[in-house]
RNA sequence: GGUCCGUUCGUCUAGCCAGGUCAGGACGCCAGGUUUUCAUCCUGGUAACACGGGUUCAAAUCCCGUACGGACUACCA
């Protein structure tokens, strides 16, 4: 292992919205780079033109912007190793494919997709699996069996071709994975993968090796689904005579229940997002929800994701991005898949809600208040938020916890009335109104002291009086400390609500 | 089918590499406490080493096998 500069990349394919598993992969790359003082690069792998989806690349960029994950180089930032989009690097790849042909490690193949499909079907019918490998390549249409002249002629007449890797025979390929340790595979079970497609574009395998090499990538941290192609990649580095980067294959994100990996379906079924941002499919118009639109704080979302498969080795759970980077280590990433738990995601958001200062929270909450048709002073909202934030998991839940701070009850919860509006209530509340009207210092402490003293003197039960009082002020049996509420809404409003409430509920016979 | 990877409370996980703590923490859930309501908060509880062999004085930890799960098996990434 050399001590070259740490350079890692996230290389998504712009075929749709980014799955949170992809976000986590990017996050681990980012944390790894930050911890080591290295560079983090965004490369777009769009070598499959047939799978291009409009807007997907912008979505990916916007998703990371929202998450607060920044790239040091890439499509948005530029850098010394660009271009960072594979479709713009098209001219680069062919020469490398040809280099392998020249050195006898790859070959031209002229079999059409249809021919190969037919062949696979035929084998399947005989309960065998067709593999384009050493055992089969001699009976197929390629430059290994064709004469040089025949091959030349086919090429000159523009016959469609692909370039295949000539998989070495009888090799035991040993690989080192930073997470899984040593992995060994026999080359005879591998096939002659296509490196260069007939449309003039490289496949992932070629492009990924060439670009990682050219961009001086030191560590490839990617999803577990790539593990089966690791031997091919190792052999490709070997064929080119290049030093391979180090590899780490991350475990999968699993669905909350049942078996298998987390999919969009699970989110729809169980009511949680599997994408960072909302996404509308340009073809079907179908919309998928996103963490941002569902009201998650980006920090909470990232924090939650980071702990799904990695832990710091101590008992900390709440981390800023900087703290995570400081604590991050690839060997504290687990080997097994992590089941996604929507409940814990909410818990994380709640923790961030508590952490966020009231001023910032008030700013986030204000639009929701205005949506209810209420004009509110930001300083007032700040105080309200301070009183109710611990009762909500999301900013959008704040309104139902605090509506009574912004307008008087329009109705009174029927169950609460039945339970708490007793025969004595009317007289008690009338007397309380008079009592409160005489208080100048309407601070929470002061009104509480006076009202409690009054209750003691009259031998009124706390539960009876204060619940009835709450009912008139709030309209329901909810909300924070009652005296905090009336201190905030003020004496005039308190008296007004008592008056209205007394009139509405009246005397109970 | 083949290849490879994985398996500790319901969930996320610590412990495993350098065998020897009542297997620790968090989420959830349950109970109790605080409280004028609800929530928070505090205390306590629930609950796991997939199974079977082996090595060893001693195995969650090392080895083998089985089961189960997953990924891959395209001119997709």
């Amino acid at each position: 292992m050399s001590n070259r500069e740490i350079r890692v990349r996230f290389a998504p394919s712009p075929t749709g919205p980014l799955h949170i598993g992809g976000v986590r992969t990017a996050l681990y790359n980012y944390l790894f780079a930050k911890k080591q003082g290295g560079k983090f690069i965004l490369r777009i792998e769009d070598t499959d033109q047939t799978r291009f989806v409009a807007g997907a690349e912008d979505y990916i960029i916007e998703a990371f912007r929202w998450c607060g994950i920044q790239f040091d180089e890439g499509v948005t930032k530029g850098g010394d190793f660009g271009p960072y989009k594979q479709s713009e690097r098209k001219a680069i790849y062919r020469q490398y494919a040809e280099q392998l042909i020249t050195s006898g490690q790859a070959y031209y193949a002229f079999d059409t997709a249809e021919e190969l499909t037919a062949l696979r079907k035929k084998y399947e019918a005989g309960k065998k699996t067709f593999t384009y490998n050493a055992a089969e390549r001699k009976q197929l249409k390629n430059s290994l069996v064709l004469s040089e002249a025949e091959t030349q002629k086919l090429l000159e007449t523009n016959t469609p071709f692909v370039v295949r890797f000539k998989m070495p025979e009888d090799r035991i390929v040993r690989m080192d994975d930073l997470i899984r340790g040593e992995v060994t595979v026999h080359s005879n079970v591998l096939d002659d993968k296509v490196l260069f497609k007939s449309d003039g574009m490289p496949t992932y395998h070629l492009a990924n090796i060439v670009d990682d090499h050219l961009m001086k990538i030191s560590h490839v941290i990617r999803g577990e689904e790539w593990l089966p192609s690791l031997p091919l990649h190792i052999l490709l580095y070997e064929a080119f005579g290049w030093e391979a980067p180090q590899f780490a294959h991350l475990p999968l994100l699993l669905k909350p229940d049942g078996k298998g990996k987390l999919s969009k379906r699970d989110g729809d079924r169980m009511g949680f997002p599997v994408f960072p941002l909302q996404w509308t499919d340009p073809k079907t118009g179908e919309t998928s929800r996103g963490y941002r639109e569902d009201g998650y704080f980006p920090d909470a979302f990232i924090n939650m994701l980071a702990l799904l498969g990695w832990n710091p080795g101590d008992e900390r759970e709440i981390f800023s991005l900087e703290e995570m980077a400081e604590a991050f280590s690839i060997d504290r990433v687990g080997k097994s898949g992590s089941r996604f738990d929507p409940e814990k995601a909410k818990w994380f958001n709640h923790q961030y809600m508590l952490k966020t200062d009231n001023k910032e929270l008030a700013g986030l909450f204000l639009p929701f208040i205005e949506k209810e048709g209420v004009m509110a002073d930001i300083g007032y909202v700040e105080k309200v938020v301070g009183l109710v934030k611990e009762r909500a998991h999301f900013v959008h839940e704040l309104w139902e916890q605090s509506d009574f701070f912004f307008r008087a009850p329009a109705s009174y919860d029927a169950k609460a009335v039945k339970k708490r509006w007793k025969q004595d209530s009317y007289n008690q509340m009338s007397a309380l109104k008079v009592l409160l009207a005489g208080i100048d210092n309407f601070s929470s402490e002061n009104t509480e002291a006076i009202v409690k003293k009054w209750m003691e003197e009259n031998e009124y039960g706390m539960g009876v009086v204060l619940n009835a009082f709450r009912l008139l002020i709030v309209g329901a049996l909810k909300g924070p400390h009652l005296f905090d509420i009336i201190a905030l809404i003020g004496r005039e409003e308190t008296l007004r609500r008592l008056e209205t409430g007394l009139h509405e509920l009246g005397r109970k016979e």
Side-chain angles (χ1 to χ4, degrees), chain A residues 169-182:
Chain A
E169 292 176 67
D170 300 322
R171 281 278 309 273
I172 289 171
V173 187
R174 286 183 210 289
M175 299 155 284
D176 261 313
D177 185 279
L178 261 17
I179 292 172
R180 282 148 222 287
E182 191 186 83

Side-chain angles (χ1 to χ4, degrees), chain A residues 28 31 43 108 124-125 143 152-153 157 172 183 226 298 307 324 352 356 389 408 478 481-482:
Chain A
Y28 286 3
L31 295 175
R43 184 173 73 216
Y108 294 106
E124 206 175 309
S143 60
Q152 270 314 315
K153 195 178 173 194
T157 53
I172 289 171
V183 180
W226 292 109
L307 269 321
M324 266 186 258
Y352 275 79
T356 306
K389 67 176 179 180
K478 67 174 188 183
H481 191 61
L482 187 50

Side-chain angles (χ1 to χ4, degrees), chain A residues 111-120:
Chain A
D111 321 271
T112 65
E114 293 71 35
E115 286 166 355
L116 292 176
T117 305
L119 217 43
R120 285 200 180 87

Side-chain angles (χ1 to χ4, degrees), chain A residues 388 391 397-405 407 409 411 413 416 420 466-467 469-482 485:
Chain A
V388 302
R391 331 165 82 82
E397 288 176 353
L398 251 21
W399 175 256
E400 60 174 283
Q401 296 295 338
S402 66
D403 55 346
F404 48 87
F405 280 107
R407 59 187 180 203
S411 63
D413 180 68
R420 295 299 187 179
L466 292 178
N467 278 305
F469 188 17
R470 178 179 293 275
L471 187 54
L472 299 189
I473 298 298
V474 173
L477 299 177
K478 67 174 188 183
H481 191 61
L482 187 50
I485 299 176

Side-chain angles (χ1 to χ4, degrees), chain A residues 15 83 143-144 150 236 274 291 298 300 341 464 492:
Chain A
T15 54
S143 60
L144 258 22
E150 286 173 313
L236 275 170
V274 296
Y291 279 83
D341 181 1
V464 180
E492 298 316 311

Side-chain angles (χ1 to χ4, degrees), chain A residues 10 31 55 57 68 78 125 136 195 200 231 327 331 338-339 392-393 429 504:
Chain A
F10 180 63
L31 295 175
E57 186 181 328
E136 305 282 353
L195 301 179
D331 47 46
S338 305
R339 225 177 256 275
H393 285 78
M429 289 305 113
E504 290 292 323

Side-chain angles (χ1 to χ4, degrees), chain A residues 23-280:
Chain A
V23 177
R24 192 192 58 166
T25 299
L27 174 63
Y28 286 3
N29 272 282
Y30 170 87
L31 295 175
F32 182 80
K34 282 289 156 284
K35 168 73 180 195
Q36 314 272 332
K39 293 277 196 299
F40 180 42
I41 296 141
L42 175 63
R43 184 173 73 216
I44 299 294
E45 308 222 325
D46 56 347
T47 53
D48 186 354
Q49 294 148 334
T50 63
R51 291 213 308 165
F52 174 81
V53 173
E57 186 181 328
D58 289 340
Y59 176 99
I60 290 166
I61 290 164
E62 174 61 13
F64 287 120
R65 199 203 55 76
W66 178 68
C67 291
I69 294 177
Q70 293 184 343
F71 295 93
D72 301 301
E73 279 176 35
V75 283
T76 52
K77 283 276 278 201
D80 297 337
F81 298 86
Y84 291 92
K85 195 192 278 200
Q86 291 184 329
S87 59
E88 293 169 9
R89 301 171 65 80
K90 188 173 174 181
I92 299 175
Y93 306 108
R94 179 151 186 175
Q95 57 173 299
Y96 287 100
E98 280 167 1
Q99 182 186 326
L100 291 186
I101 293 170
T102 307
S103 66
Q105 292 167 294
Y107 58 89
Y108 294 106
F110 301 96
D111 321 271
T112 65
E114 293 71 35
E115 286 166 355
L116 292 176
T117 305
L119 217 43
R120 285 200 180 87
K121 275 205 175 128
K122 197 177 124 194
Y123 273 62
E124 206 175 309
K127 287 194 174 169
K128 280 192 277 184
T129 308
F130 170 76
T131 312
Y132 207 123
N133 62 10
E136 305 282 353
R137 65 169 81 108
K138 291 178 201 74
Q139 11 178 341
L140 292 154
K141 207 158 96 192
N142 55 55
S143 60
L144 258 22
V145 294
L146 266 28
S147 73
E148 204 169 314
E150 286 173 313
T151 301
Q152 270 314 315
K153 195 178 173 194
L154 285 171
L155 290 175
E156 277 159 19
T157 53
N158 290 325
T159 311
F161 69 91
V162 301
V163 176
R164 283 181 182 272
F165 183 60
K166 190 178 171 191
M167 182 57 68
E169 292 176 67
D170 300 322
R171 281 278 309 273
I172 289 171
V173 187
R174 286 183 210 289
M175 299 155 284
D176 261 313
D177 185 279
L178 261 17
I179 292 172
R180 282 148 222 287
E182 191 186 83
V183 180
T184 308
V185 177
H186 197 102
S187 70
N188 291 10
V189 302
L190 272 16
D191 62 344
D192 292 357
K193 275 276 178 300
V194 171
L195 301 179
F196 198 84
K197 301 183 275 186
S198 56
D199 65 359
M201 286 292 249
T203 60
Y204 168 83
H205 300 106
L206 210 222
N208 144 74
I209 265 74
V210 168
D211 286 348
D212 283 347
H213 174 254
L214 259 24
M215 295 180 184
K216 295 192 168 18
I217 298 302
S218 63
H219 298 259
V220 172
I221 304 170
R222 81 232 288 201
E224 191 182 14
E225 68 272 22
W226 292 109
L227 197 51
S229 32
L230 181 56
L232 169 69
H233 297 167
I234 293 286
L235 258 13
L236 275 170
Y237 280 104
E238 190 183 296
F240 281 117
W242 296 337
E243 182 184 3
Q246 294 218 261
F247 291 93
H249 288 88
L250 268 21
L252 264 30
L253 248 34
L254 273 19
K255 55 182 67 194
D257 60 346
K259 316 285 185 192
K261 65 176 175 179
L262 182 64
S263 73
K264 176 183 166 332
R265 276 254 165 273
D266 301 312
D268 296 343
R269 181 170 54 88
M270 301 177 73
F272 63 87
V274 296
F275 302 114
L277 274 35
Q278 190 177 86
W279 166 261
T280 301

